[in-house]
Amino acid sequence: MAAHPIGVHVGPGLTEDNQLDDGGPLARAAEMDADGVQVFLGDPQGWKAPLPRPDAEDLLASDVAVFVHAPYVLNVASTNNRIRIPSRKNLAVNARAAAAIGARGMVVHGGHVLAKDDPAAGFDNWRKTFARQAGDGGFPLPLLIENTAGGDNAMARELGAVSRLWDAVGEFDAGFVLDTCHAWAAGWDLATAVDDVRAVTGRIDLVHLNNSRDPQGSGRDRHAPLTAGEIPLELLLEVARAADCPVVLETPGDAASHAEEVALVREALGEA
């Protein structure tokens, strides 16, 4: 198993009737010579509980590092009960399903509160999410909170917000995902981002290594291939080196282009 797995986001890897789509995530990893995959367990825009995966045993037995991305619709920070409560329940359900396939962690966005809300309510809702789960024995795998690209009342867009979020959840051993496109869009200095995040959270568990189609500070979450965006390639690779943790590519492109990106990052990390 690679010391620093380099994976690719491959989506659910399932058909609508819950069968493997063209071999599923492990076939995609082999096709791209990747050490890891990031998958959805179901519809990323839906609320339904994920079904047991037909490749669960294969994923558990594989040396491929598996990360799960929680559905995009979840927002445990929300002050709206009709969003926050099902989000919290869905997060727990997806965490159990992710642990069942041997995932190393589950990525979830930091979420946001409404413009009329005090952001303090959102940070406290995150604290309550972890505290309630701790009462049930905690999450069965690391929960990895990802920085986001836009939103004035986002819980994890600005570094100051991440600091307030970690004041609320740090005691629960929450993990952190540094997305380079999101950080760039939010106006972060990528040359110091790894140190800046660690100064706040004490950790980076995963890097989403993505270039951006838009200028720094745009607030737009539009990923680009590693070598074809607004972020200098060497700056991206230096983030991967400095973070010293697994990497997942969420870049657009086909299997061949992703294989080239995996090889590029692997060489930059000295693991070719």
Side-chain angles (χ1 to χ4, degrees):
M1 186 177 294
H4 301 92
I6 302 162
V8 179
H9 178 72
V10 297
L14 299 170
T15 63
E16 290 185 1
D17 57 354
N18 202 44
Q19 299 301 308
L20 291 183
D21 185 10
D22 196 23
L26 292 178
R28 298 288 74 70
E31 189 177 16
M32 297 177 285
D33 194 26
D35 308 306
V37 288
Q38 179 179 276
V39 302
F40 292 119
L41 297 177
D43 179 3
Q45 300 292 351
W47 293 92
K48 289 184 179 179
L51 297 171
R53 291 187 64 98
D55 56 350
E57 291 186 5
D58 291 334
L59 290 168
L60 278 166
S62 174
D63 286 337
V64 172
V66 178
F67 292 91
V68 166
H69 200 302
Y72 293 133
V73 293
L74 304 192
N75 183 7
V76 301
S78 177
T79 56
N80 184 336
N81 290 347
R82 289 179 294 179
I83 295 175
R84 184 184 68 260
I85 293 173
S87 291
R88 193 173 63 230
K89 292 179 178 178
N90 193 292
L91 193 65
V93 168
N94 273 268
R96 289 194 294 270
I101 63 170
R104 292 191 178 193
M106 186 171 75
V107 178
V108 59
H109 288 176
H112 60 277
V113 295
L114 299 175
K116 65 180 179 62
D117 293 327
D118 184 342
F123 299 126
D124 194 49
N125 283 336
W126 261 112
R127 181 193 62 78
K128 290 176 180 176
T129 295
F130 275 97
R132 288 173 186 269
Q133 193 66 34
D136 291 331
F139 289 104
L141 80 172
L143 202 65
L144 312 178
I145 304 175
E146 180 179 0
N147 63 303
T148 49
D152 292 335
N153 273 0
M155 301 293 99
R157 180 191 181 194
E158 306 292 345
L159 277 165
V162 174
S163 179
R164 294 182 68 186
L165 178 58
W166 243 255
D167 286 342
V169 305
E171 66 179 284
F172 300 104
D173 201 30
F176 189 83
V177 181
L178 173 59
D179 185 302
T180 53
C181 175
H182 297 177
W184 177 263
W188 296 15
D189 182 355
L190 287 182
T192 62
V194 170
D195 288 340
D196 293 340
V197 168
R198 285 204 178 114
V200 169
T201 67
R203 61 195 292 171
I204 296 175
D205 300 83
L206 179 66
V207 169
H208 281 170
L209 198 65
N210 306 309
N211 212 319
S212 173
R213 292 167 56 186
D214 299 291
Q216 187 175 22
S218 68
R220 298 189 186 119
D221 180 14
R222 301 199 301 172
H223 297 188
L226 290 186
T227 59
E230 292 288 316
I231 307 173
L233 175 61
E234 186 51 40
L235 189 54
L236 288 171
L237 296 177
E238 186 51 39
V239 168
R241 293 188 195 101
D244 193 28
C245 67
V247 169
V248 165
L249 304 169
E250 297 177 318
T251 51
D254 58 15
S257 65
H258 283 134
E260 291 178 0
E261 290 184 334
V262 168
L264 176 66
V265 178
R266 185 172 289 137
E267 183 177 4
L269 296 181
E271 299 187 4

